[in-house]
Amino acid sequence: MTPFQITAAAVTLVVGYIVTKILVGLFKNSLRKTKLPLLVVEFLARFLSAMLYVSVILIAVGVLGVSIGPVILGLSAVIGLILGFGLQDTLTNLAAGLWIAALRPIDIGEVVSISGQIGKVNSIGLMATELLTPDNTIIMIPNRLVWGTIIINHTRMPTRRVGVDIGVAYGTDLDRAIKLAMELMKSHPKVLNEPEPSVVITALADSSINLQLRAWTKTEDYWEVKGDLTRGIYELYTREGIEIPFPQVDVHIREMAG
């Protein structure tokens, strides 16, 4: 192995890296002109990038004077050992990533619940899906777990129903309590008129009659409306003299005869 070969291999790696970046960029730009979803474009671009980097490394090895054939055989042997030891999760994750990209149960920018974790989809890679949680934490979930579990997509639909639970004391004028709650929802500027808001009785609990305010809003306004209605119904009932009870236990002590 001569100094010239080492220099040529280093140049090959640098040039290959630059060419790969350019080719992947052109590939992504061309796909973006099609109707393919962004998720599919990003996934295919990552796959192409990985293949090109492997090719550049093999070319650099060849420039060093090492026969590529044995290198490829060696890689095949390593892959065989990995599979033989039962570590085929890599291929499973890759296959699951392809299915996710093709069928799109989730997409970049959507808020989803996966494997008990909730967050915004940042990316879907060859091996794992990246979520950004509301407290700005990154969670990496292997694609095989994403594909093999229940997925809850919170933002796929344009509208969502807000539910706010509240209890009122037994003996409360329910018609008046429901009327006040309806007026509160209808007066909120971000509550939709259709479907119409409603108030339902959900339970006759131990210490309260449980009501639920149900209002529809745009998905992006969900948390704002939920917070406003939760605070609003508490303040409204307090102001109007409608009792909101809390669980309590009466203890009766009997005097034992001596």
Side-chain angles (χ1 to χ4, degrees):
M1 189 180 299
T2 65
F4 174 78
Q5 288 176 316
I6 296 174
T7 303
V11 171
T12 299
L13 289 175
V14 173
V15 173
Y17 175 81
I18 296 173
V19 171
T20 296
K21 286 289 186 182
I22 294 173
L23 291 177
V24 171
L26 293 174
F27 179 73
K28 289 174 67 174
N29 289 335
S30 64
L31 289 182
R32 284 170 180 164
K33 296 177 182 178
T34 67
K35 294 183 179 181
L36 285 175
L38 179 60
L39 175 63
V40 178
V41 172
E42 291 292 336
F43 185 87
L44 293 177
R46 291 186 180 211
F47 186 80
L48 175 63
S49 177
M51 296 298 293
L52 290 177
Y53 282 134
V54 171
S55 300
V56 169
I57 292 173
L58 290 177
I59 293 173
V61 171
V63 171
L64 288 173
V66 179
S67 177
I68 298 178
V71 173
I72 296 177
L73 289 176
L75 289 175
S76 301
V78 170
I79 294 174
L81 286 174
I82 291 175
L83 295 178
F85 279 110
L87 301 178
Q88 61 269 48
D89 286 348
T90 297
L91 295 179
T92 305
N93 286 327
L94 180 59
L98 288 171
W99 281 112
I100 294 169
L103 300 181
R104 296 175 57 211
I106 60 177
D107 212 338
I108 294 175
E110 292 182 332
V111 178
V112 298
S113 296
I114 301 173
S115 297
Q117 304 293 334
I118 184 171
K120 183 173 71 174
V121 180
N122 265 5
S123 67
I124 298 177
L126 297 178
M127 301 300 165
T129 295
E130 180 180 298
L131 297 185
L132 178 65
T133 67
D135 60 350
N136 211 34
T137 301
I138 295 293
I139 298 177
M140 302 296 294
I141 305 177
N143 286 335
R144 61 185 176 82
L145 296 182
V146 176
W147 186 249
T149 190
I150 295 175
I151 299 173
I152 301 174
N153 195 318
H154 299 284
T155 56
R156 176 65 60 91
M157 304 302 291
T159 60
R160 286 185 65 184
R161 192 185 75 182
V162 177
V164 176
D165 297 307
I166 191 166
V168 297
Y170 281 94
T172 297
D173 183 344
L174 290 180
D175 290 337
R176 179 167 174 263
I178 291 173
K179 179 183 177 181
L180 289 171
M182 288 291 293
E183 291 174 351
L184 172 69
M185 290 186 289
K186 290 182 176 181
S187 66
H188 196 291
K190 293 187 178 181
V191 169
L192 302 177
N193 294 324
E194 290 293 336
E196 187 178 6
S198 63
V199 180
V200 297
I201 300 174
T202 57
L204 300 177
D206 292 338
S207 57
S208 66
I209 301 174
N210 294 340
L211 307 178
Q212 185 178 71
L213 284 64
R214 296 177 177 176
W216 288 85
T217 187
K218 293 181 179 179
T219 298
E220 61 266 25
D221 298 328
Y222 176 86
W223 289 110
E224 179 183 351
V225 171
K226 186 174 180 66
D228 289 348
L229 293 182
T230 301
R231 177 170 180 166
I233 193 64
Y234 170 76
E235 293 178 344
L236 177 61
Y237 279 0
T238 300
R239 186 167 59 250
E240 294 293 330
I242 295 179
E243 183 183 354
I244 303 173
F246 55 89
Q248 52 187 327
V249 178
D250 293 331
V251 179
H252 300 275
I253 301 176
R254 297 178 58 187
E255 183 178 350
M256 300 296 292

